[in-house]
Amino acid sequence: MHFFIVLLFMVAYFIGHRIFVHRKTFTGTAKLYGKTVIVTGGNTGIGKATAAGLAMRGARVILACRSKQRGEAAAQEIRTETGNDAVIFMQLDLASQKSIRSFAETFLKAEPRLDLLINNAGLGAPGRTEDGIGMILGVNHIGPFLLTNLLLERLKECAPSRVITVSSCGHDQGTIDFNCINTHKKLALGSSDADLFRAYTHSKLCNVLFTHELAKRLEGTGVTCYSLHPGSVRSELARDINEWHTQIIKTIVNKFWATDPVSGSQTTLYCALQENIEHLSGRYFSDCQLVQVKPEARDDGIAKKLWDVSEKLCGIA
């Protein structure tokens, strides 16, 4: 019975968000010569496709990834593919606040510019981070929150600049349980695949709320920010979801509905490069167009409370 419930929910979820329709392609012609970009999780999937798209436009691209071997290999592949030699790997583990702070310190010493910060990395794994925070909360929200705050002054110095955070249409299914966060440092309890999926949707709502609040704090600075849904993409996001029935669902989705990483990167490129969207800072996009989110995802009080809790969890309050 559990199998059929999960199967029906997941299939209805994906179908309801039209992941089988043709995705729009970003057609902007902006060039990025002299600009510097950070892409977290840039060694695979959407992140790698995004990094390649930015490198092709002339940007200096920093692949901020956990694995040195895979990150350096991806950087070499992108350099070869695009002819842009300014694609480099820098180690970043979003499950470690020590690593995040070390990355920011190293970057700020070595790089004079930061024009685009793309918070792309995410996962759906069980366990806890090095800092004792639930893995999904820590990597999908607290990590990008801390990284962004540590790099904000450089972004302001290089304005106009942008912060892009990859969320998901799954945020529609999410909610914020502050009692659970404060008590357990997790977004949801339980360790089944259904529990992990629930926590993942909560983390994606965190991304949207973070962007909403960040936009308010950045008014007048020349730094704008956007969150987005990239579409269901064949990637390694769900590599830690292992129950047999979930594997079947993943196989069905990947075979019939999921798009490729290049198609999945188009809305990220749109938010990073589209002209004349500065007045839409803080908003959410899907398929290269503005989408209205549910009331909870744009609630000023919830967004402010989440920001305050996040500051405490990463020690910058």
Side-chain angles (χ1 to χ4, degrees):
M1 179 61 70
H2 177 67
F3 164 71
F4 290 108
I5 292 174
V6 175
L7 176 63
L8 289 173
F9 176 79
M10 294 285 281
V11 170
Y13 170 78
F14 286 121
I15 291 177
H17 286 87
R18 302 178 300 120
I19 66 173
F20 47 82
V21 299
H22 176 67
R23 310 298 300 179
K24 291 184 179 178
T25 299
F26 174 63
T27 58
T29 58
K31 300 300 181 183
L32 296 173
Y33 298 104
K35 306 292 186 181
T36 299
V37 181
I38 293 174
V39 183
T40 67
N43 65 305
T44 188
I46 299 172
K48 185 178 179 183
T50 300
L54 297 170
M56 203 168 293
R57 290 170 168 82
R60 178 173 177 79
V61 181
I62 312 298
L63 303 186
C65 320
R66 181 179 57 184
S67 169
K68 180 178 181 180
Q69 180 180 359
R70 298 177 67 186
E72 289 181 341
Q76 180 58 55
E77 290 171 9
I78 294 172
R79 288 194 295 267
T80 300
E81 175 188 341
T82 65
N84 182 345
D85 290 332
V87 180
I88 65 172
F89 160 78
M90 289 181 63
Q91 195 158 37
L92 170 66
D93 182 358
L94 289 170
S96 165
Q97 292 182 20
K98 180 180 178 181
S99 174
I100 296 168
R101 293 177 186 279
S102 176
F103 171 89
E105 181 180 1
T106 300
F107 174 85
L108 292 172
K109 287 180 178 178
E111 301 290 337
R113 296 196 61 84
L114 179 57
D115 301 275
L116 289 170
L117 170 60
I118 300 181
N119 292 313
N120 164 82
L123 50 67
R128 290 186 180 270
T129 69
E130 181 181 287
D131 308 284
I133 299 170
M135 188 65 72
I136 293 174
L137 171 61
V139 172
N140 293 6
H141 170 60
I142 297 299
F145 176 88
L146 175 58
L147 179 65
T148 302
N149 275 279
L150 293 174
L151 298 175
L152 270 185
E153 289 308 311
R154 183 59 51 85
L155 285 161
K156 292 175 183 178
E157 292 169 6
C158 298
S161 54
R162 296 183 184 183
V163 178
I164 316 300
T165 300
V166 178
S167 179
S168 164
C169 63
H171 81 272
D172 281 343
Q173 306 297 320
T175 190
I176 307 298
D177 183 344
F178 287 106
N179 182 60
C180 188
I181 296 174
N182 290 325
T183 303
H184 304 285
K185 296 184 179 180
K186 296 183 71 173
L187 289 166
L189 301 181
S191 57
S192 70
D193 283 357
D195 294 326
L196 294 178
F197 180 75
R198 191 170 74 254
Y200 177 79
T201 64
H202 300 340
S203 75
K204 296 293 100 179
L205 177 57
C206 287
N207 295 154
V208 178
L209 287 164
F210 164 59
T211 301
H212 178 83
E213 177 67 15
L214 181 62
K216 293 181 176 297
R217 293 170 181 255
L218 290 175
E219 286 180 4
T221 66
V223 184
T224 53
C225 55
Y226 313 90
S227 62
L228 65 100
H229 166 63
S232 180
V233 178
R234 298 184 189 96
S235 72
E236 298 181 341
L237 173 66
R239 60 183 177 268
D240 298 294
I241 295 180
N242 297 310
E243 293 179 11
W244 66 271
H245 48 73
T246 313
Q247 290 288 354
I248 293 174
I249 295 170
K250 284 164 57 181
T251 299
I252 294 171
V253 170
N254 283 338
K255 183 172 180 61
F256 295 105
W257 295 321
T259 188
D260 62 279
V262 172
S263 297
S265 69
Q266 297 306 299
T267 303
T268 304
L269 293 174
Y270 177 91
C271 290
L273 303 174
Q274 179 63 32
E275 296 179 349
N276 302 318
I277 61 170
E278 288 78 11
H279 65 291
L280 298 175
S281 183
R283 303 293 294 277
Y284 171 85
F285 291 77
S286 178
D287 207 15
C288 297
Q289 57 192 348
L290 180 68
V291 174
Q292 180 71 290
V293 296
K294 65 179 182 177
E296 184 182 358
R298 47 190 163 90
D299 184 284
D300 290 346
I302 297 174
K304 173 63 166 59
K305 188 173 182 179
L306 178 63
W307 187 284
D308 292 342
V309 169
S310 302
E311 283 188 332
K312 292 177 182 177
L313 286 174
C314 58
I316 61 172

